[in-house]
Amino acid sequence: DQAALGYLEEAGISPKGLLSTFELLRRREKQRFGTPDPYTLTHPLGRERIRHVRHVVEESTIKDKRSPADLTLMHQRMVGKLEGFLAPVEEVLQKYPVADTSPKARYARAVALYRKAETDAALVEIKALKAEIGEDAWLLDTEGQVLYESNRIAEAEAVYRRAAEMEPDSALIRTAYAQALLEQGKTQEAAEHLERSSLSDPTYRQTWRLLATAEGKLGHLGMAKLAQAEGAMLDNEPKIAREFAMQAMDSLPGDSPAWQRALDLRRLADREIEKKDDE
């Protein structure tokens, strides 16, 4: 809640202003005739929102002040990264000229320059950011992406390794690290990291795609088919998932956890197919 209030202030919306807006909406709600069904209104009800916001405003150590410096910096970096990836490149570079050395500007420029295939210039901005605000996993993840997609795979591997050490439970970072390993023929190591990624976040589709590739290269047909079945279920393709799961069961030892998972996936796929047929 404190962070949220700080972000409101950063956006030019004071916490007290938000409370006033809710109170106005509540007064208008009272002007309606009859007794509206609570579930036809925005949930929770206006008075509940007002009570919550009033409590947070009263208890907040921020109130009308700006958010703490560390949260403000994180927010600025987030905005810069999003703008860098989502806004037109030239628009970003015009909005954030080289003279602007704020972290938000540097991050936005770095991503825009990378999108413009100006890799060295992008890396200069990232290096300056690391020198100013310190090294963290997510900044390293961006640096790794710039290097990897510029075909500087060995350099990307080293950067991703450091990022994975800093955020060991991030499936996104560890999968990117594994991809750099896989690209260089370090297949067994890549497979191990992808297995760990799948445990951290079994819903990340890229992990299963790469794991299927790695297991296939290692000659582990059953595990490759199992990874493909997992991916197909995430893609809402139960018929394909069932086929891969059955192929996995044919190749895996019948008393293994992997075989049991393949059976679970086959049964899940069967239920989803039946549900679709009934629609």
Side-chain angles (χ1 to χ4, degrees), residues 36-64:
D37 183 347
Y39 292 97
T40 66
L41 303 174
T42 302
H43 185 76
L45 294 176
R47 62 177 175 274
E48 294 171 338
R49 288 187 172 186
I50 291 168
R51 186 182 303 116
H52 175 71
V53 173
R54 181 180 288 116
H55 172 75
V56 173
V57 169
E58 289 172 353
E59 296 297 320
S60 173
T61 58
I62 300 174
K63 296 191 178 179
D64 289 329

Side-chain angles (χ1 to χ4, degrees), residues 58-74:
E58 289 172 353
E59 296 297 320
S60 173
T61 58
I62 300 174
K63 296 191 178 179
D64 289 329
K65 301 175 185 177
R66 297 179 67 83
S67 57
D70 57 339
L71 291 179
T72 299
L73 178 58
M74 289 172 60

Side-chain angles (χ1 to χ4, degrees), residues 168-234:
D169 295 327
S170 169
L172 186 148
I173 288 175
R174 193 169 292 278
T175 295
Y177 175 33
Q179 185 172 21
L181 291 168
L182 193 59
E183 188 76 15
Q184 297 176 91
K186 300 177 182 180
T187 310
Q188 181 60 51
E189 189 179 356
E192 291 169 2
H193 284 287
L194 290 164
E195 278 287 353
R196 185 168 174 180
S197 293
S198 71
L199 295 175
S200 296
D201 183 2
T203 67
Y204 187 35
R205 180 66 178 89
Q206 176 75 340
T207 300
W208 296 114
R209 185 184 71 79
L210 292 172
L211 184 56
T213 300
E215 296 288 13
K217 287 185 175 182
L218 291 169
H220 303 158
L221 179 61
M223 296 302 293
K225 295 300 181 181
L226 179 58
Q228 288 176 299
E230 296 276 11
M233 284 304 301
L234 288 175

Side-chain angles (χ1 to χ4, degrees), residues 2-279:
Q2 301 295 321
L5 289 174
Y7 294 158
L8 287 170
E9 182 70 16
E10 187 72 16
I13 305 170
S14 72
K16 288 184 178 179
L18 179 63
L19 178 58
S20 297
T21 300
F22 278 3
E23 288 173 338
L24 173 61
L25 292 173
R26 178 60 180 157
R27 288 196 297 273
R28 290 185 176 178
E29 181 182 301
K30 287 181 176 180
Q31 292 172 0
R32 297 175 183 170
F33 294 102
T35 304
D37 183 347
Y39 292 97
T40 66
L41 303 174
T42 302
H43 185 76
L45 294 176
R47 62 177 175 274
E48 294 171 338
R49 288 187 172 186
I50 291 168
R51 186 182 303 116
H52 175 71
V53 173
R54 181 180 288 116
H55 172 75
V56 173
V57 169
E58 289 172 353
E59 296 297 320
S60 173
T61 58
I62 300 174
K63 296 191 178 179
D64 289 329
K65 301 175 185 177
R66 297 179 67 83
S67 57
D70 57 339
L71 291 179
T72 299
L73 178 58
M74 289 172 60
H75 184 249
Q76 288 176 345
R77 287 174 53 188
M78 176 189 72
V79 172
K81 184 175 183 178
L82 286 172
E83 286 188 304
F85 274 110
L86 300 178
V89 169
E90 294 306 328
E91 182 179 305
V92 174
L93 296 176
Q94 184 176 9
K95 182 177 180 179
Y96 298 108
V98 177
D100 187 345
T101 58
S102 66
K104 179 167 70 171
R106 285 197 185 281
Y107 218 133
R109 273 201 308 274
V111 174
L113 289 165
Y114 144 71
R115 290 172 60 201
K116 201 178 178 183
E118 296 185 15
T119 304
D120 290 337
L123 293 171
V124 166
E125 295 289 357
I126 293 173
K127 182 178 180 180
L129 259 178
K130 289 196 291 186
E132 181 178 349
I133 66 176
E135 188 177 73
D136 72 28
W138 303 106
L139 186 53
L140 289 170
D141 177 62
T142 302
E143 183 179 10
Q145 181 177 354
V146 171
L147 289 165
Y148 180 87
E149 296 189 14
S150 301
N151 205 33
R152 294 163 64 169
I153 311 299
E155 293 174 76
E157 178 200 333
V159 171
Y160 279 133
R161 181 188 303 114
R162 175 64 178 147
E165 290 169 353
M166 297 178 77
E167 286 287 343
D169 295 327
S170 169
L172 186 148
I173 288 175
R174 193 169 292 278
T175 295
Y177 175 33
Q179 185 172 21
L181 291 168
L182 193 59
E183 188 76 15
Q184 297 176 91
K186 300 177 182 180
T187 310
Q188 181 60 51
E189 189 179 356
E192 291 169 2
H193 284 287
L194 290 164
E195 278 287 353
R196 185 168 174 180
S197 293
S198 71
L199 295 175
S200 296
D201 183 2
T203 67
Y204 187 35
R205 180 66 178 89
Q206 176 75 340
T207 300
W208 296 114
R209 185 184 71 79
L210 292 172
L211 184 56
T213 300
E215 296 288 13
K217 287 185 175 182
L218 291 169
H220 303 158
L221 179 61
M223 296 302 293
K225 295 300 181 181
L226 179 58
Q228 288 176 299
E230 296 276 11
M233 284 304 301
L234 288 175
D235 289 339
N236 195 27
E237 295 285 355
K239 291 183 179 180
I240 297 174
R242 180 175 61 181
E243 182 64 28
F244 282 136
M246 292 174 66
Q247 291 175 16
M249 292 171 67
D250 288 341
S251 300
L252 293 166
D255 58 349
S256 66
W259 186 92
Q260 184 61 54
R261 177 56 183 165
L263 176 61
D264 291 342
L265 284 170
R266 194 201 73 187
R267 289 171 173 169
L268 178 60
D270 285 339
R271 289 197 296 271
E272 291 299 314
I273 292 168
E274 184 177 347
K275 190 185 302 182
K276 285 189 174 185
D277 288 342
D278 290 340
E279 290 177 353

